[in-house]
Amino acid sequence: MTTRRQLALNLFIYPGGHHEAGWRYKGSEPQRALDIGYYQDLARRAEAAKFDAVFFADGPALADDVRYGTRFRLEPLTWLSAIAAATTHIGLIGTASTTYYEPYNLARLYASLDHLSGGRAGWNIVTTSAAAAAQNFGRTEHPVHAERYDISREFVEIVTSLWDSWEDDAVVADPVSGVYAETAKIHPINHVGKHFKVRGPLNTPRSPQGRPVYIQAGSSEDGRSFAAQWAEAIFTAHQTVESAQSFYGDIKKQAAAFGRNPEHVKILPGISPFIGSTEVEAARLVEEFNELIQPAYSLNQLHRMIGLDLSGFDLDGQFPRHLIKTDSAIGVASRFKVVLDIVDREKPTIRQLIHRLAGARGHWVQAGTPEKIADLIQTWFETGAADGFNVMPPWFTGGFDIFAAEVVPILRKRGLFREDYTGRTLRDHLGLPRPDSGYAAARQASA
Ligand SMILES: Cc1cc2nc3c(=O)[nH]c(=O)nc-3n(C[C@H](O)[C@H](O)[C@H](O)COP(=O)(O)O)c2cc1C
């Protein structure tokens, strides 16, 4: 029996919701934003909807304006460990930076989560967009974009070697002989490179998935080439189906050039859905959210995205396109381009632009009926623009509950999304193979 290609759906959890004023919306519970019960409950809801994973972003600095938003950052693996204990199937994706971690620390954190969750861990690999992080780590400068990617390539190679450093059958746990582990099957990695020196082996056995799933976020030229080589799922931001198709085609082609199966690189754009029972109701919902924004917050975010401080400008004046310098991007080069494209395509006023970005920081915001949202998802899925989505509800938990209750059943009825899980690991959900550590194959070849 051939089964139809299935959508991957992750729930991207952001305290207070993805709309910058989501925490103020009626039904939000900002007083619970630091309560683990709240997140465990949310993850259970995503699991009941049979989502592939919950997803957490991160950055090791207070980069956003918390005066007006729930933009603090709890540490994702701490969050996910507590969620692992409250769920059984859903994947657990946490973001961590190759610029501000040591490979050894990171490898053991994710291997531990993979063990303790029964094979549900995924690492969203980023190089860190927030320059403010440097000063939290005794550095004066945030490494420049190309340098960050150079470090990340070496970093990921080391983490991979560490995850592979125990062969799958190294643990024998034989009470009769008294041997717990075959030490001949545990290998130092002896890495000496440009940025790191790591002896290994890892101090935990090989994890259930062999390696936790490699997810990546970063869509610049460097980011794409890195992703094509390493990523098994890619989180990306696109405003139009054409832009997503071009990204999708480029990544799949580059992945094939690296000798990889393009089907094992899932492209997952963000979507932030505003759902109403009619188009008018959905448009009104967007308006309601826009009325709650704090322009000072929005302008600060815009400044960070495009390097232009517009405080003091008339919000209803035309966006001053001529003030943007092509090198104004501070952190995320690809998001800078997303914003410029909106400006060039829509010629907005400053207020229109900040409303446009308030929904989900440059991700795809769509308002409409459940059928319309399902149609859009299906179109992107079937026209080479996406293999699935990171769903970014404007507010929690209502924004997710409506998506799960109204849109998911339509996708299911169309045969596009699973009725139930068919496996237990994140690799199972995403249809990704479990990688071999290489040692057994090498031994066989030399035998
Ligand atoms: C969709 C998307 C999500 C991202 N999420 C994060 C994040 O959670 N934390 C972070 O530090 N950087 C994040 N980044 C940026 C990455 O860190 C990236 O490695 C780098 O800073 C630059 O991105 P670029 O390759 O798109 O220029 C994200 C980038 C994209 C495109």
Side-chain angles (χ1 to χ4, degrees), residues 57-58 95 126-129 145 148-149 217-220 223 235-237 331-335 363:
D58 193 40
T95 298
V126 299
T127 71
T128 296
S129 41
H145 198 269
R148 298 206 304 271
Y149 275 107
S219 299
S220 59
F235 176 37
T236 182
V332 184
S334 55
R335 200 63 55 86
H363 282 278

Side-chain angles (χ1 to χ4, degrees), residues 60 97-102 127-128 130-135 137 139 141-143 148 155:
S97 168
T98 53
T99 309
Y100 294 104
Y101 262 99
E102 281 287 327
T127 71
T128 296
Q135 289 163 58
F137 293 83
R139 307 192 198 171
E141 298 275 323
H142 185 49
R148 298 206 304 271
F155 193 114

Side-chain angles (χ1 to χ4, degrees), residues 138-192:
R139 307 192 198 171
T140 45
E141 298 275 323
H142 185 49
V144 297
H145 198 269
E147 169 80 355
R148 298 206 304 271
Y149 275 107
D150 188 52
I151 296 168
S152 74
R153 275 183 279 271
E154 188 180 333
F155 193 114
V156 175
E157 273 171 33
I158 298 167
V159 168
T160 303
S161 303
L162 288 168
W163 282 340
D164 287 350
S165 63
W166 290 52
E167 295 186 36
D168 281 310
D169 56 355
V171 175
V172 288
D174 178 9
V176 179
S177 65
V179 173
Y180 180 73
E182 289 280 8
T183 42
K185 292 185 174 175
I186 302 170
H187 308 274
I189 68 164
N190 293 320
H191 175 91
V192 180

Side-chain angles (χ1 to χ4, degrees), residues 259-273:
R260 303 183 57 204
N261 179 347
E263 285 182 18
H264 295 158
V265 188
K266 310 287 176 189
I267 312 289
L268 310 176
I271 177 173
S272 186

